[in-house]
Amino acid sequence: MTDFGNAAKACAVNPLKLSPALGGALAFLGLDRCLPMLHGGQGCTAFSLVLAVRHFRETIPLQTTAMSELSTILGGADNVEQAIGTIYDRARPNVIGICTTALTETRDDDISAELPFILERHPEWQDLDVILASTPDYAGGLEAGWSRAVEAMVQALVEPSGRRRTLRRVNLLAGSHLSPADVEELRETIDGFGLKAIVLPDLSGSLDGHVPDDFVPTSLGGTPADLIRGMGESVMTLAIGEQMRPAAKALAERSGVPFTVFDRVTGLEAFDAFVATLMDISGTGPNDRLQRQRSRLVDAMLDGHFFFGGRCAGVAGDPDLALAMSGLLADLGCTVTRAVTTAQTPATEHIAANAVMVGDLDDLEQGLGESPALIVANSHAKDLSDRVGASLFRAGFPVYDRLGAPQRVSVGYRGTRDLVFALGNLLMDHDDTHPHPAGETTGERENHDRHIDATLAAG
Amino acid sequence: MNKNKLAAAFVEPGCAVNHDKSDRDRKRGCSAVTLQPGAAAGGCAFDGAKIALQPITDAAHLVHGPIACEGNSWDSRHALSSGPSLYRTGFTTDMSELDIIHGGERRLYRAIREIVERFQPPAVFVYVTCVSALIGDDVEAVCRIATEQFATPVIPVIAPGFAGSKNFGNKLAGRALLDHVIGTREPDHRTPYDIAVLGEYNVAGELWQVTPLLDRLGVRLLASVTGDGRYADVASAHRARVAMVVCSQALVSMARELEARYGIPFFEGSFYGTAETSTALRTLARLLVDQGAPEDLLSRTEALVAEEEARTAEALAPYRERLAGKRVLLYTGGVKSWSMIAALQELGMVVIGTSVRKSTEEDKARARHLIGAEADLFGQIPAKELYARLKRGDADILMSGGRTQFVALKTRTPWLDINQERHHAYAGYTGIVDFARQIDQALYNPIWRQVRRPAPWDQPKEAGHD
Ligand code: SF4
């Protein structure tokens, strides 16, 4: 049951939601040689930039149209035109991804209508793709912005293909809840079936944490625009996360590529479904490596379930992330007392938790019930987990107080196994410091002892 | 939005920067940097206002706007508190589309009530942002009514992002304090040694490196504006005998106003480096004595300075040996462009360049004087150029804020955080020693030799492998 937030509540306390424009910008970083730009006040870009830099531990190309009060009132087309020119001259990107903000949408500043005229005036930009995503702050959170940006990429670039198909090629639409390493893991799995994937967006080449030989003022290593244009020729689109459904649909409408949405690819059964689809498409079975990985996951679940059963957890994150993490915890016997998320989407309905609500971190804190052992949320939940005495597993965005968050794999058999270990270890630590009455390790032993005592007394 | 308020803040007759400006420039005041779309970087006025006021630790800070402003920024500032933690709670009206269409005043009012009822803070600061300003929410009126209804001061901070830069926001925050807070309370008692410090935000605990020195002199920090601040103390800042402005540009207008209204003399100073710290303490003592404090404060200050300087020199000696001659590129701004130079030179380091973005003409002159004629004073430089310089090996270490951190690291150059998000405190006599230690650790970490090694496949082939 989803409870759509405390309608009476006027004030968000310790917000969970991030701005959609930030999500849109992150998605654009998954295109090759792209420079994302927020259409709004310069402060919006500054805040987004700081968060992204802290999370990825990388320089992040991100620009702003630097709207002032005056330019907002007069309309922002001039700023957009000027900004594109400046960026084009200085950074020579292949793509500029524009994300609107509440400020510019509030003015009904219709950039989508103006943009064609702007581009027409500048034939010198013809090798440049300019993509506009509508990502006002009041429409969802980071995930919503990501979703809308990817949909905009498809609308702007994918060419209608008629019936032409490139055999053994699939599209992989990656949701905002996937790390660069997750994307790489999925691509390798797909490769393993002799298939080639066009991934959109693809942060695995640009934000995977490496030391390039030179400085590039744009993203480097994401999906090239030319590949995206040809996505209409793939045999199938695999969409990861409900948030990718609109983009998958748009692709199908443009070019007839059928699609499947996987609400999650974390967890044994969930990934089995993904693998079964790949078997169908490729007509081949899994390689030895994948079979081995599945067996290792099964073993990890056998070893680890003791530490999950009967424990209580709280989860906070954008809908698809909350669905994946709550789902895995539930798979292992852990009760998610409350899941808090940022928007109502088709995924929200399927989050495995006693209570699901659209809200903030304070709603999570108030709804954890007694003795939660684990919190799964972004780094902002650090104080909260200290206050309630739970271990914090950092997931989502931003994660700035752990090394390697973008490199963590949480999908597939291998990623799920690692996740079971990481979560299980946290729960084990928590058991050691907070003996849990319902816990297998202490609780069962006590019951057992009591039972023996009773038997002895009776005897 | 209240145009008069904004206009008033632009006018800065006494500010050193404005002196040298033409009439037109002067009217544009400090927000005057025209931003270039597609090439701007930097925080907005709201950011600046929040930085300046959020360190009031027992107050609630409520951001009236859609999610971007607070959702993307709360919990990322490292101003520390010795007690209350309410200031770290992120409050926002998270305006919806409906609020934007129908006006957000009712939601704001209800949000204030929720905060007052649940947390009972001594005050609530309400920050206007671009959208709430644009749609014309009368935040001042809501705050006025809420103040009466809830018997709690509710202070409007009119610094919407698009009003200007972060610096300008600092200044608007000062305005909010002058208009609504300072002078509204009286201290329990007064002493001839009461001071106010303006513009020190206790980032990473820097204020705490200074307060023990004041304690030993018997000088009382009546009001910290605003590092580790308490609302009631800030409200009684008008009873300070002397004020010190730590961040020169942003809050100097506030200091002038305090002087004009309450006759509080002020000076600008810094706590970075031994010499600057000693100068600050001496100036404080002298001004207090001028204001009627007993004369012996001067000799006691001299004794403390002598003792601390000797101790610091001794603690620094081993570092000086290792740091002497190392080349530093400073990429910061404002007052730090010169105050940091002094501290670095004290360690025997060579500052090869410093950025003077956001610095006043006076700041620039001081930086130039310290750094010498050959060194480089520059404004904002594109990341690409910074990268090229470091890659060339122009500097042994880059000191900057988090944003350029990875530009340095990708060139395999040591880096030290000297901005807001840093975790180490560098103020006062103990601070300079910590600063030296941090630089030393950054420069001499064993990774540098390793990460600069070519990969086995890039090694020049050695002839004869036996
Ligand atoms: S620029 Fe305006 S909308 Fe953006 S963060 Fe600053 S106040 Fe908020």
Side-chain angles (χ1 to χ4, degrees):
Chain A
M1 251 305 287
T2 313
D3 164 2
F4 288 104
N6 185 347
K9 188 170 156 177
C11 183
V13 181
N14 296 338
L16 169 67
K17 201 164 54 168
L18 294 145
S19 78
L22 166 56
L26 293 180
F28 278 117
L29 291 173
L31 300 188
D32 191 33
R33 300 197 75 98
C34 177
L35 217 157
M37 168 167 78
L38 307 193
H39 181 30
Q42 68 160 345
C44 299
T45 291
F47 286 147
S48 298
L49 195 62
V50 167
L51 279 184
V53 167
R54 291 176 79 198
H55 176 87
F56 288 104
R57 297 182 195 265
E58 297 285 335
T59 41
I60 301 287
L62 183 61
Q63 259 308 327
T64 172
T65 54
M67 297 291 285
S68 65
E69 186 178 17
L70 196 65
S71 55
T72 306
I73 291 166
L74 299 178
D78 283 354
N79 281 49
V80 170
E81 182 167 356
Q82 223 181 310
I84 296 174
T86 306
I87 293 173
Y88 184 79
D89 292 345
R90 291 194 178 188
R92 282 298 148 117
N94 290 350
V95 184
I96 293 177
I98 305 176
C99 301
T100 61
T101 61
L103 178 64
T104 47
E105 296 255 352
T106 300
R107 282 301 300 177
D108 258 335
D109 188 8
D110 197 356
I111 291 299
S112 60
E114 303 258 6
L115 196 56
F117 296 110
I118 294 177
L119 297 178
E120 216 166 85
R121 278 197 291 276
H122 295 275
E124 74 274 18
W125 298 343
Q126 48 162 274
D127 56 342
L128 176 73
D129 285 301
V130 180
I131 304 173
L132 176 72
S134 164
T135 50
D137 300 281
Y138 42 76
L142 181 147
E143 179 191 288
W146 177 289
S147 166
R148 301 187 82 163
V150 178
E151 192 185 350
M153 294 170 199
V154 169
Q155 304 278 21
L157 298 177
V158 175
E159 284 163 1
S161 69
R163 285 154 175 261
R164 195 145 29 93
R165 290 284 172 266
T166 304
L167 283 180
R168 308 201 77 80
R169 204 176 74 192
V170 297
N171 301 323
L172 180 72
L173 297 178
S176 59
H177 57 311
L178 302 183
S179 72
D182 286 337
V183 169
E184 193 166 86
E185 181 77 4
L186 294 176
R187 192 208 312 273
E188 276 173 22
T189 305
I190 294 170
D191 275 356
F193 284 87
L195 301 168
K196 278 272 160 270
I198 301 180
V199 183
L200 185 73
D202 183 5
L203 297 181
S204 71
S206 53
L207 290 175
D208 61 331
H210 68 288
V211 184
D213 293 331
D214 198 6
F215 185 85
V216 181
T218 60
S219 63
L220 181 66
T223 321
D226 287 339
L227 264 188
I228 302 171
R229 285 186 236 281
M231 286 177 90
E233 292 179 25
S234 297
V235 292
M236 172 100 159
T237 296
L238 309 167
I240 311 300
E242 271 296 339
Q243 61 180 292
M244 288 293 97
R245 186 183 293 276
K249 251 192 180 147
L251 229 165
E253 278 159 17
R254 289 182 81 77
S255 58
V257 181
F259 65 90
T260 308
V261 177
F262 298 90
D263 64 354
R264 62 173 160 130
V265 283
T266 298
L268 180 69
E269 279 186 82
F271 200 63
D272 278 349
F274 186 74
V275 167
T277 306
L278 292 178
M279 288 168 61
D280 272 357
I281 303 173
S282 66
T284 45
N287 57 24
D288 292 351
R289 214 170 55 149
L290 194 64
Q291 293 182 33
R292 191 73 178 185
Q293 283 175 5
R294 187 178 192 281
S295 172
R296 287 178 186 152
L297 169 56
V298 170
D299 194 51
M301 291 169 75
L302 293 169
D303 293 348
H305 77 281
F306 300 103
F307 307 100
F308 290 82
R311 309 306 191 284
C312 290
V315 173
D318 282 334
D320 286 338
L321 178 76
L323 182 139
M325 294 307 294
S326 299
L328 179 68
L329 289 168
D331 289 348
L332 291 156
C334 179
T335 306
V336 177
T337 327
R338 176 174 283 189
V340 174
T341 189
T342 54
Q344 184 185 5
T345 73
T348 322
E349 307 274 314
H350 303 288
I351 296 174
N354 290 353
V356 179
M357 70 186 291
V358 174
D360 51 43
L361 288 173
D362 185 56
D363 292 319
L364 181 70
E365 186 166 356
Q366 304 305 320
L368 286 169
E370 265 169 59
S371 62
L374 180 72
I375 306 280
V376 177
N378 64 21
S379 291
H380 289 323
K382 175 75 176 74
D383 286 355
L384 179 171
S385 8
D386 288 347
R387 279 195 294 271
V388 301
S391 304
L392 174 64
F393 181 81
R394 290 149 180 93
F397 185 97
V399 174
Y400 45 71
D401 56 350
R402 276 295 171 274
L403 291 168
Q407 285 79 26
R408 177 188 280 283
V409 183
S410 329
V411 300
Y413 298 133
R414 187 159 47 173
T416 306
R417 181 199 62 177
D418 291 351
L419 207 48
V420 170
F421 290 158
L423 294 167
N425 287 338
L426 284 178
L427 287 165
M428 216 184 288
D429 283 345
H430 190 266
D431 277 355
D432 288 345
T433 42
H434 310 72
H436 191 282
E440 307 262 0
T441 43
T442 47
E444 299 259 308
R445 200 179 311 130
E446 272 162 28
N447 283 337
H448 182 69
D449 290 350
R450 215 174 295 131
H451 179 71
I452 292 177
D453 285 348
T455 321
L456 287 177
Chain B
M1 172 183 358
N2 194 323
K3 298 266 185 217
N4 293 336
K5 273 272 155 54
L6 285 179
F10 283 123
V11 178
E12 181 51 87
C15 166
V17 201
N18 254 351
H19 264 326
D20 313 329
K21 285 182 184 165
S22 69
D23 253 9
R24 205 178 101 251
D25 282 354
R26 201 167 309 158
K27 244 184 244 129
R28 287 159 75 197
C30 294
S31 81
V33 229
T34 347
L35 301 168
Q36 188 183 358
C44 59
F46 155 68
D47 190 11
K50 192 90 189 295
I51 287 171
L53 297 176
Q54 192 173 2
I56 302 177
T57 57
D58 52 356
H61 299 269
L62 168 61
V63 178
H64 184 39
I67 198 64
C69 314
E70 181 70 348
N72 290 359
S73 74
W74 76 285
D75 202 19
S76 60
R77 301 177 181 96
H78 287 191
L80 302 187
S81 167
S82 57
S85 61
L86 187 62
Y87 75 119
R88 298 193 44 172
T89 305
F91 295 110
T92 176
T93 49
D94 182 11
M95 291 172 86
S96 66
E97 194 166 9
L98 274 184
D99 294 324
I100 292 172
I101 295 167
H102 299 301
E105 289 158 3
R106 286 175 56 135
R107 180 186 284 268
L108 175 61
Y109 181 77
R110 282 169 41 222
I112 297 168
R113 183 171 63 208
E114 284 170 21
I115 292 172
V116 172
E117 282 173 358
R118 180 165 158 200
F119 299 96
Q120 284 134 17
V124 180
F125 286 87
V126 175
Y127 299 80
V128 175
T129 62
C130 295
V131 171
S132 51
L134 186 74
I135 64 172
D137 276 358
D138 192 346
V139 171
E140 291 190 308
V142 174
C143 288
R144 205 161 45 238
I145 296 166
T147 300
E148 279 165 27
Q149 291 292 313
F150 311 136
T152 300
V154 181
I155 297 107
V157 184
I158 316 289
F162 57 34
S165 67
K166 205 146 105 174
N167 245 313
F168 187 55
N170 283 168
K171 210 164 164 178
L172 292 172
R175 266 255 74 87
L177 291 180
L178 284 168
D179 289 350
H180 300 282
V181 181
I182 293 175
T184 60
R185 300 274 170 94
E186 289 299 326
D188 293 342
H189 67 286
R190 299 183 64 188
T191 78
Y193 301 103
D194 290 354
I195 64 161
V197 169
L198 313 183
E200 164 54 58
Y201 304 127
N202 200 30
V203 170
E206 288 193 335
L207 183 67
W208 300 333
Q209 293 177 317
V210 176
T211 39
L213 300 170
L214 300 178
D215 288 347
R216 277 166 62 196
L217 294 174
V219 169
R220 184 169 79 140
L221 181 55
L222 174 71
S224 171
V225 182
T226 56
D228 194 14
R230 303 294 181 274
Y231 182 76
D233 296 343
V234 176
S236 60
H238 62 298
R239 294 303 183 208
R241 310 267 172 187
V242 170
M244 170 175 172
V245 182
V246 180
C247 180
S248 67
Q249 190 184 22
L251 289 185
V252 82
S253 50
M254 180 177 178
R256 273 180 214 288
E257 185 73 26
L258 286 178
E259 184 173 45
R261 276 195 209 171
Y262 308 106
I264 305 171
F266 74 92
F267 71 102
E268 295 171 50
S270 146
F271 288 113
Y272 292 127
T274 311
E276 288 294 333
T277 304
S278 299
T279 307
L281 293 177
R282 287 189 175 114
T283 314
L284 264 179
R286 189 173 41 75
L287 288 177
L288 279 171
V289 170
D290 288 351
Q291 290 286 93
E295 286 258 355
D296 72 309
L297 178 60
L298 297 175
S299 54
R300 288 191 292 116
T301 305
E302 286 309 324
L304 176 116
V305 163
E307 185 192 328
E308 287 295 330
E309 285 192 351
R311 198 190 354 226
T312 310
E314 197 180 323
L316 286 180
Y319 294 113
R320 286 181 51 101
E321 238 165 75
R322 287 158 64 88
L323 302 182
K326 296 286 182 196
R327 298 158 307 153
V328 184
L329 187 60
L330 261 182
Y331 195 57
T332 165
V335 63
K336 279 215 196 96
S337 55
W338 60 264
S339 63
M340 281 284 170
I341 298 177
L344 289 164
Q345 288 178 336
E346 204 177 317
L347 301 174
M349 302 184 79
V350 180
V351 180
I352 58 154
T354 184
S355 71
V356 285
R357 26 173 212 154
K358 300 180 281 180
S359 304
T360 62
E361 287 308 319
E362 203 184 348
D363 287 334
K364 284 181 200 165
R366 274 164 119 158
R368 170 57 73 202
H369 176 70
L370 284 165
I371 201 172
E374 321 82 85
D376 195 7
L377 287 193
F378 49 87
Q380 190 175 310
I381 46 179
K384 195 179 166 78
E385 194 185 323
L386 188 59
Y387 181 91
R389 283 193 192 193
L390 294 171
K391 187 105 177 173
R392 256 198 329 257
D394 284 6
D396 295 309
I397 185 169
L398 175 73
M399 299 189 186
S400 67
R403 278 190 202 197
T404 40
Q405 171 179 6
F406 299 97
V407 178
L409 294 180
K410 297 287 179 191
T411 64
R412 300 164 164 93
T413 303
W415 174 82
L416 191 72
D417 196 349
I418 51 170
N419 273 5
Q420 273 221 55
E421 299 104 25
R422 86 195 112 94
H423 291 272
H424 295 280
Y426 301 139
Y429 302 110
T430 49
I432 181 83
V433 181
D434 290 344
F435 188 44
R437 187 180 304 121
Q438 292 303 322
I439 300 172
D440 190 272
Q441 280 171 15
L443 276 172
Y444 286 100
N445 190 294
I447 68 149
W448 299 118
R449 195 184 47 78
Q450 301 164 64
V451 300
R452 288 171 185 155
R453 250 175 79 87
W457 49 88
D458 291 336
Q459 306 257 14
K461 277 246 183 340
E462 280 167 50
H465 199 270
D466 45 31

mmCIF file of all heavy atoms in Angstrom, chain B residues 351-374:
data_model
loop_
_atom_site.group_PDB
_atom_site.id
_atom_site.type_symbol
_atom_site.label_atom_id
_atom_site.label_comp_id
_atom_site.label_asym_id
_atom_site.label_seq_id
_atom_site.Cartn_x
_atom_site.Cartn_y
_atom_site.Cartn_z
ATOM 1 N N VAL B 351 54.574 30.921 -3.314
ATOM 2 C CA VAL B 351 53.272 30.974 -3.971
ATOM 3 C C VAL B 351 53.500 31.465 -5.391
ATOM 4 O O VAL B 351 53.879 32.605 -5.611
ATOM 5 C CB VAL B 351 52.304 31.898 -3.216
ATOM 6 C CG1 VAL B 351 50.951 31.938 -3.927
ATOM 7 C CG2 VAL B 351 52.146 31.431 -1.786
ATOM 8 N N ILE B 352 53.296 30.578 -6.359
ATOM 9 C CA ILE B 352 53.596 30.973 -7.739
ATOM 10 C C ILE B 352 52.425 31.680 -8.399
ATOM 11 O O ILE B 352 52.573 32.313 -9.429
ATOM 12 C CB ILE B 352 54.008 29.767 -8.610
ATOM 13 C CG1 ILE B 352 52.889 28.732 -8.601
ATOM 14 C CG2 ILE B 352 55.310 29.154 -8.133
ATOM 15 C CD1 ILE B 352 52.895 27.885 -9.841
ATOM 16 N N GLY B 353 51.265 31.562 -7.791
ATOM 17 C CA GLY B 353 50.125 32.253 -8.366
ATOM 18 C C GLY B 353 48.935 32.164 -7.443
ATOM 19 O O GLY B 353 48.821 31.213 -6.658
ATOM 20 N N THR B 354 48.070 33.152 -7.511
ATOM 21 C CA THR B 354 46.859 33.101 -6.709
ATOM 22 C C THR B 354 45.718 33.692 -7.507
ATOM 23 O O THR B 354 45.907 34.621 -8.279
ATOM 24 C CB THR B 354 47.021 33.853 -5.377
ATOM 25 O OG1 THR B 354 45.832 33.675 -4.606
ATOM 26 C CG2 THR B 354 47.243 35.346 -5.580
ATOM 27 N N SER B 355 44.559 33.124 -7.325
ATOM 28 C CA SER B 355 43.419 33.677 -8.045
ATOM 29 C C SER B 355 42.799 34.757 -7.184
ATOM 30 O O SER B 355 42.751 34.641 -5.967
ATOM 31 C CB SER B 355 42.392 32.596 -8.329
ATOM 32 O OG SER B 355 41.764 32.223 -7.127
ATOM 33 N N VAL B 356 42.362 35.803 -7.852
ATOM 34 C CA VAL B 356 41.772 36.907 -7.103
ATOM 35 C C VAL B 356 40.321 37.133 -7.526
ATOM 36 O O VAL B 356 39.830 38.234 -7.478
ATOM 37 C CB VAL B 356 42.587 38.205 -7.289
ATOM 38 C CG1 VAL B 356 43.869 38.137 -6.491
ATOM 39 C CG2 VAL B 356 42.903 38.440 -8.752
ATOM 40 N N ARG B 357 39.665 36.018 -7.943
ATOM 41 C CA ARG B 357 38.247 36.196 -8.246
ATOM 42 C C ARG B 357 37.559 36.497 -6.926
ATOM 43 O O ARG B 357 37.979 36.036 -5.881
ATOM 44 C CB ARG B 357 37.638 34.969 -8.907
ATOM 45 C CG ARG B 357 38.344 33.739 -8.563
ATOM 46 C CD ARG B 357 37.765 32.467 -9.004
ATOM 47 N NE ARG B 357 38.129 31.511 -7.963
ATOM 48 C CZ ARG B 357 37.468 30.430 -7.677
ATOM 49 N NH1 ARG B 357 36.380 30.148 -8.334
ATOM 50 N NH2 ARG B 357 37.864 29.623 -6.724
ATOM 51 N N LYS B 358 36.522 37.237 -6.988
ATOM 52 C CA LYS B 358 35.745 37.612 -5.808
ATOM 53 C C LYS B 358 36.567 38.418 -4.804
ATOM 54 O O LYS B 358 36.200 38.541 -3.655
ATOM 55 C CB LYS B 358 35.162 36.380 -5.107
ATOM 56 C CG LYS B 358 34.234 35.562 -5.975
ATOM 57 C CD LYS B 358 33.692 34.368 -5.220
ATOM 58 C CE LYS B 358 34.690 33.228 -5.135
ATOM 59 N NZ LYS B 358 34.184 32.072 -4.407
ATOM 60 N N SER B 359 37.713 38.925 -5.201
ATOM 61 C CA SER B 359 38.504 39.707 -4.264
ATOM 62 C C SER B 359 38.303 41.192 -4.543
ATOM 63 O O SER B 359 38.086 41.593 -5.675
ATOM 64 C CB SER B 359 39.992 39.386 -4.413
ATOM 65 O OG SER B 359 40.212 38.008 -4.258
ATOM 66 N N THR B 360 38.398 42.003 -3.511
ATOM 67 C CA THR B 360 38.280 43.446 -3.693
ATOM 68 C C THR B 360 39.613 43.985 -4.208
ATOM 69 O O THR B 360 40.628 43.293 -4.173
ATOM 70 C CB THR B 360 37.982 44.140 -2.362
ATOM 71 O OG1 THR B 360 39.081 43.896 -1.484
ATOM 72 C CG2 THR B 360 36.711 43.608 -1.749
ATOM 73 N N GLU B 361 39.610 45.247 -4.672
ATOM 74 C CA GLU B 361 40.850 45.873 -5.132
ATOM 75 C C GLU B 361 41.888 45.851 -4.015
ATOM 76 O O GLU B 361 43.068 45.629 -4.230
ATOM 77 C CB GLU B 361 40.589 47.319 -5.579
ATOM 78 C CG GLU B 361 39.841 47.427 -6.906
ATOM 79 C CD GLU B 361 40.497 46.620 -8.023
ATOM 80 O OE1 GLU B 361 41.738 46.628 -8.124
ATOM 81 O OE2 GLU B 361 39.759 45.955 -8.784
ATOM 82 N N GLU B 362 41.393 46.051 -2.815
ATOM 83 C CA GLU B 362 42.283 46.068 -1.663
ATOM 84 C C GLU B 362 42.898 44.678 -1.440
ATOM 85 O O GLU B 362 44.097 44.545 -1.206
ATOM 86 C CB GLU B 362 41.473 46.490 -0.451
ATOM 87 C CG GLU B 362 42.287 47.062 0.663
ATOM 88 C CD GLU B 362 41.391 47.361 1.855
ATOM 89 O OE1 GLU B 362 40.144 47.339 1.706
ATOM 90 O OE2 GLU B 362 41.946 47.608 2.930
ATOM 91 N N ASP B 363 42.037 43.670 -1.548
ATOM 92 C CA ASP B 363 42.521 42.296 -1.427
ATOM 93 C C ASP B 363 43.609 42.044 -2.470
ATOM 94 O O ASP B 363 44.657 41.460 -2.185
ATOM 95 C CB ASP B 363 41.389 41.286 -1.684
ATOM 96 C CG ASP B 363 40.387 41.208 -0.533
ATOM 97 O OD1 ASP B 363 40.785 41.511 0.607
ATOM 98 O OD2 ASP B 363 39.225 40.850 -0.786
ATOM 99 N N LYS B 364 43.331 42.503 -3.687
ATOM 100 C CA LYS B 364 44.269 42.262 -4.780
ATOM 101 C C LYS B 364 45.602 42.946 -4.510
ATOM 102 O O LYS B 364 46.670 42.358 -4.721
ATOM 103 C CB LYS B 364 43.694 42.781 -6.107
ATOM 104 C CG LYS B 364 42.636 41.883 -6.682
ATOM 105 C CD LYS B 364 42.125 42.428 -8.015
ATOM 106 C CE LYS B 364 40.769 41.820 -8.323
ATOM 107 N NZ LYS B 364 40.054 42.536 -9.373
ATOM 108 N N ALA B 365 45.529 44.187 -4.044
ATOM 109 C CA ALA B 365 46.758 44.933 -3.772
ATOM 110 C C ALA B 365 47.579 44.219 -2.702
ATOM 111 O O ALA B 365 48.795 44.069 -2.812
ATOM 112 C CB ALA B 365 46.412 46.346 -3.326
ATOM 113 N N ARG B 366 46.885 43.740 -1.683
ATOM 114 C CA ARG B 366 47.592 43.036 -0.614
ATOM 115 C C ARG B 366 48.240 41.760 -1.132
ATOM 116 O O ARG B 366 49.377 41.431 -0.771
ATOM 117 C CB ARG B 366 46.624 42.684 0.511
ATOM 118 C CG ARG B 366 46.468 43.812 1.498
ATOM 119 C CD ARG B 366 45.240 43.544 2.308
ATOM 120 N NE ARG B 366 45.574 43.402 3.716
ATOM 121 C CZ ARG B 366 44.687 43.585 4.693
ATOM 122 N NH1 ARG B 366 43.446 43.908 4.404
ATOM 123 N NH2 ARG B 366 45.037 43.433 5.943
ATOM 124 N N ALA B 367 47.484 41.063 -1.980
ATOM 125 C CA ALA B 367 48.012 39.821 -2.547
ATOM 126 C C ALA B 367 49.262 40.125 -3.377
ATOM 127 O O ALA B 367 50.300 39.469 -3.240
ATOM 128 C CB ALA B 367 46.950 39.140 -3.406
ATOM 129 N N ARG B 368 49.168 41.153 -4.214
ATOM 130 C CA ARG B 368 50.289 41.525 -5.076
ATOM 131 C C ARG B 368 51.514 41.880 -4.238
ATOM 132 O O ARG B 368 52.632 41.464 -4.517
ATOM 133 C CB ARG B 368 49.869 42.697 -5.971
ATOM 134 C CG ARG B 368 50.977 43.353 -6.750
ATOM 135 C CD ARG B 368 51.730 42.389 -7.655
ATOM 136 N NE ARG B 368 50.963 41.992 -8.842
ATOM 137 C CZ ARG B 368 51.210 40.877 -9.532
ATOM 138 N NH1 ARG B 368 52.176 40.050 -9.166
ATOM 139 N NH2 ARG B 368 50.502 40.576 -10.589
ATOM 140 N N HIS B 369 51.283 42.628 -3.182
ATOM 141 C CA HIS B 369 52.365 43.050 -2.315
ATOM 142 C C HIS B 369 53.076 41.837 -1.704
ATOM 143 O O HIS B 369 54.301 41.763 -1.657
ATOM 144 C CB HIS B 369 51.791 43.942 -1.213
ATOM 145 C CG HIS B 369 52.803 44.355 -0.202
ATOM 146 N ND1 HIS B 369 53.817 45.242 -0.507
ATOM 147 C CD2 HIS B 369 52.989 43.978 1.089
ATOM 148 C CE1 HIS B 369 54.569 45.402 0.567
ATOM 149 N NE2 HIS B 369 54.105 44.648 1.544
ATOM 150 N N LEU B 370 52.292 40.873 -1.279
ATOM 151 C CA LEU B 370 52.871 39.706 -0.608
ATOM 152 C C LEU B 370 53.573 38.762 -1.581
ATOM 153 O O LEU B 370 54.617 38.198 -1.288
ATOM 154 C CB LEU B 370 51.764 38.917 0.102
ATOM 155 C CG LEU B 370 51.236 39.517 1.399
ATOM 156 C CD1 LEU B 370 49.930 38.848 1.780
ATOM 157 C CD2 LEU B 370 52.267 39.350 2.510
ATOM 158 N N ILE B 371 52.971 38.627 -2.720
ATOM 159 C CA ILE B 371 53.388 37.554 -3.615
ATOM 160 C C ILE B 371 54.601 37.951 -4.449
ATOM 161 O O ILE B 371 55.323 37.098 -4.965
ATOM 162 C CB ILE B 371 52.184 37.153 -4.515
ATOM 163 C CG1 ILE B 371 52.342 35.760 -5.086
ATOM 164 C CG2 ILE B 371 51.974 38.154 -5.625
ATOM 165 C CD1 ILE B 371 51.078 35.300 -5.794
ATOM 166 N N GLY B 372 54.805 39.242 -4.618
ATOM 167 C CA GLY B 372 55.937 39.689 -5.414
ATOM 168 C C GLY B 372 55.536 39.902 -6.862
ATOM 169 O O GLY B 372 54.496 39.403 -7.308
ATOM 170 N N ALA B 373 56.377 40.616 -7.568
ATOM 171 C CA ALA B 373 56.019 41.082 -8.907
ATOM 172 C C ALA B 373 55.931 39.956 -9.939
ATOM 173 O O ALA B 373 55.124 40.009 -10.853
ATOM 174 C CB ALA B 373 57.005 42.148 -9.377
ATOM 175 N N GLU B 374 56.777 38.915 -9.795
ATOM 176 C CA GLU B 374 56.812 37.900 -10.864
ATOM 177 C C GLU B 374 55.632 36.947 -10.796
ATOM 178 O O GLU B 374 55.241 36.341 -11.788
ATOM 179 C CB GLU B 374 58.072 37.013 -10.839
ATOM 180 C CG GLU B 374 59.383 37.635 -10.500
ATOM 181 C CD GLU B 374 59.547 37.769 -9.004
ATOM 182 O OE1 GLU B 374 59.976 36.798 -8.374
ATOM 183 O OE2 GLU B 374 59.236 38.841 -8.461
#
